[in-house]
Amino acid sequence: MLFDKTVILAFVLALALAFAGCGGNGGNDQGGRGDDDSVGDDDTSGDDDVTDDDAADDDAVDDDSIDDDLIDDDAVDDDAVDDDTVDDDTVDDDTVDDDTVDDDTVDDDSIDDDTTPIDCNAVITRQPYLQSVTQTGITVMWGTDIPGDSTVEYGLTDALGQTVYLADQQIVHLVELTGLEPQTTYYYKATSCHDETTVASFRTAPLRDTPFNFTAFSDNHCHAEIFGPFVDMMIGFDPDFAISVGDTVDDGRDPTQYDPCFFTPAQELFRSAPVYVAFGNHEHFSLTYYGLFSFPGGNNAHFSFTYGNTFFLGLDADVPYIPGLPWYKWLVDQLSSPEAQNAEFRVMFFHQPPYTEGWPGYDGDWVVRLFILPLMKQYHVDVYFNGHTHDYERGWDGTIANYIIGGAGGDLDVWARDVAWDLFYASEYHFLHVSVDGATMTLDAIDQTGQVFDSYQIVH
Ligand SMILES: [Fe+2]
């Protein structure tokens, strides 16, 4: 019996010691659940200490996906250092702008570098006029009263849809549109600051064999009362472009003349038909005035371009095109180029004529007579347009047709002498409308009543 009690007592004692051991470990808490202390936290829930390593973060060092601290390293931003896509701080690096430094396309701050300006107040004072059209591009220019930015919206419908924006603030605005389709109508409008134009349209240059038409005039001077009604007639022909043979103002050194004499009377024409000007003596080489234009090649004193099947070349004949001088070489290079020689027609226009019947004290320009006229014959120019004399003259010397079309506004001259090859003379106001269709060029002189008073064809 004693043995039996000893064995039983030992078994009960051992069992009691085993239970006592389990209870002692539970009191130290080195990794269990239900943590509510403030030092040495390493559990996965219920965290309220200063060293955070769990998914419910409420301390000052953040290393989880719920951000409520001062150092941001997640996708929800509520602190002072921004490195995410939701911006609510003072340093902007996202696409939603609500700060004081602007680097995006939605602007509501005080530093502007996007397409919704708020910090300029220029007003458009010179409506858009087109320059230098090609099959794939065109230049849009306009003017403002004070410096402002430049936007052209354009597209294949009047809904527009594409935008070119230039942030540089200018008074003379120049925007080049590129990547256009040939022989295509585009719509556009211009904006500077908060001022925008109505929508107008233009056509890109046609393919080589497509018929086209243009208008040509000279010596409008400062007679908008004559020039303006002619512009209305020109628009009636829906010309592809316009040529001026100079004396667009009385004095190019006077910037107050540019708009009332030239741009304003013609604004409805120039907004849809690019204008090319061969400057005359009355522009006086004014750099201010030259700066209002952008002709092909970047030199507004002389330029060339091809439109359809025809090569055009304009000169400021106040420049001495004399052998040995660079301008003469330029002219030879242009006329002898494959572009010129492969064209169906070659047309030149420059202000001073080699000969004229219509000015008592002036019978023509000797530089033109001696040096330019022989080049035109040598390189088979078909026709050239002059002004300077305020009348209408048409001639043919056996190799080349010549025109004086100086009747767009300046006081008329009277007949003074006979030039053997001049075939038609009229001292009256007029402009010229020219259409080209394949190997036929038709030139119509139109008077103030809208009547064609002289019509001529060049047929190859
Ligand atoms: Fe003139």
Side-chain angles (χ1 to χ4, degrees):
M1 289 296 290
L2 180 61
F3 173 77
D4 291 341
K5 290 180 179 178
T6 300
V7 171
I8 293 171
L9 181 61
F11 177 77
V12 170
L13 184 59
L15 195 61
L17 287 171
F19 274 109
C22 292
N25 289 341
N28 289 332
D29 189 13
Q30 294 296 316
R33 302 183 181 185
D35 181 23
D36 58 358
D37 61 13
S38 61
V39 178
D41 182 24
D42 59 355
D43 59 12
T44 56
S45 63
D47 183 17
D48 58 357
D49 57 17
V50 296
T51 304
D52 179 34
D53 59 356
D54 58 15
D57 182 23
D58 57 357
D59 57 18
V61 179
D62 181 30
D63 59 356
D64 55 36
S65 61
I66 300 177
D67 183 22
D68 58 355
D69 53 22
L70 297 176
I71 300 175
D72 182 30
D73 59 356
D74 54 35
V76 181
D77 183 24
D78 57 357
D79 53 36
V81 180
D82 181 29
D83 59 357
D84 54 21
T85 58
V86 180
D87 184 24
D88 57 356
D89 53 25
T90 59
V91 180
D92 182 29
D93 58 357
D94 54 37
T95 57
V96 180
D97 184 22
D98 57 356
D99 53 25
T100 58
V101 180
D102 181 29
D103 59 356
D104 55 21
T105 57
V106 181
D107 183 26
D108 58 359
D109 54 24
S110 60
I111 300 176
D112 181 31
D113 59 356
D114 57 35
T115 58
T116 310
I118 63 168
D119 59 349
C120 62
N121 294 292
V123 173
I124 295 173
T125 52
R126 184 178 305 120
Q127 289 297 305
Y129 53 103
L130 301 169
Q131 303 274 274
S132 297
V133 67
T134 68
Q135 289 185 344
T136 59
I138 200 167
T139 298
V140 184
M141 299 187 73
W142 68 96
T144 51
D145 57 346
I146 60 174
D149 57 8
S150 310
T151 301
V152 172
E153 298 171 71
Y154 66 101
L156 293 170
T157 70
D158 59 8
L160 310 179
Q162 293 179 271
T163 300
V164 175
Y165 174 72
L166 301 177
D168 288 347
Q169 301 213 349
Q170 306 286 345
I171 292 176
V172 177
H173 301 264
L174 187 158
V175 173
E176 294 179 340
L177 305 183
T178 60
L180 307 180
E181 294 296 322
Q183 199 167 296
T184 300
T185 297
Y186 284 86
Y187 296 81
Y188 78 101
K189 70 175 180 179
T191 301
S192 282
C193 304
H194 297 288
D195 197 12
E196 66 179 24
T197 68
T198 56
V199 174
S201 65
F202 63 81
R203 289 191 295 273
T204 51
L207 303 177
R208 178 183 167 101
D209 294 325
T210 301
F212 66 93
N213 77 105
F214 66 94
T215 187
F217 60 89
S218 187
D219 295 79
N220 57 285
H221 287 270
C222 288
H223 288 280
E225 78 282 3
I226 298 171
F227 182 44
F230 275 143
V231 168
D232 293 338
M233 296 181 200
M234 296 174 196
I235 292 172
F237 288 104
D238 191 22
D240 290 285
F241 59 91
I243 283 176
S244 165
V245 197
D247 283 7
T248 56
V249 292
D250 283 338
D251 188 344
R253 296 167 296 192
D254 179 0
T256 68
Q257 294 188 4
Y258 306 157
D259 289 311
C261 300
F262 188 62
F263 288 107
T264 303
Q267 64 185 19
E268 289 301 314
L269 174 66
F270 294 167
R271 73 199 300 233
S272 58
V275 60
Y276 300 85
V277 181
F279 296 109
N281 55 303
H282 278 265
E283 280 80 9
H284 287 288
F285 283 124
S286 167
L287 294 180
T288 303
Y289 196 34
Y290 272 45
L292 296 182
F293 299 90
S294 178
F295 301 137
N299 185 332
N300 289 344
H302 47 233
F303 51 88
S304 68
F305 61 96
T306 292
Y307 199 97
N309 63 1
T310 302
F311 177 83
F312 293 86
L313 194 154
L315 301 174
D316 182 342
D318 281 329
V319 174
Y321 296 93
I322 296 174
L325 297 180
W327 307 288
Y328 184 86
K329 181 179 186 308
W330 177 87
L331 179 55
V332 172
D333 290 344
Q334 293 293 308
L335 289 175
S336 62
S337 68
E339 179 180 350
Q341 292 304 306
N342 292 335
E344 180 69 36
F345 294 104
R346 283 161 289 282
V347 175
M348 282 184 60
F349 53 106
F350 48 93
H351 189 67
Q352 290 89 339
Y355 301 94
T356 178
E357 290 190 343
W359 187 342
Y362 172 84
D363 65 354
D365 187 282
W366 67 272
V367 171
V368 174
R369 195 181 298 173
L370 287 178
F371 304 117
I372 296 178
L373 185 55
L375 283 181
M376 291 195 292
K377 293 176 181 289
Q378 178 181 351
Y379 292 107
H380 308 292
V381 169
D382 293 280
V383 58
Y384 60 96
F385 305 125
N386 299 132
H388 205 39
T389 304
H390 295 178
D391 54 25
Y392 175 81
E393 302 181 38
R394 172 175 60 80
W396 164 258
D397 68 358
T399 60
I400 185 169
N402 63 281
Y403 277 85
I404 293 178
I405 52 171
D411 294 338
L412 292 173
D413 288 315
V414 295
W415 187 89
R417 71 189 60 79
D418 184 57
V419 174
W421 50 87
D422 255 17
L423 304 176
F424 195 107
Y425 180 90
S427 179
E428 64 177 295
Y429 293 112
H430 66 278
F431 72 97
L432 203 62
H433 177 253
V434 184
S435 55
V436 177
D437 187 352
T440 301
M441 176 180 289
T442 303
L443 306 99
D444 293 332
I446 297 166
D447 64 19
Q448 285 180 289
T449 69
Q451 299 302 307
V452 176
F453 65 88
D454 183 36
S455 186
Y456 182 67
Q457 280 194 330
I458 302 171
V459 181
H460 284 172

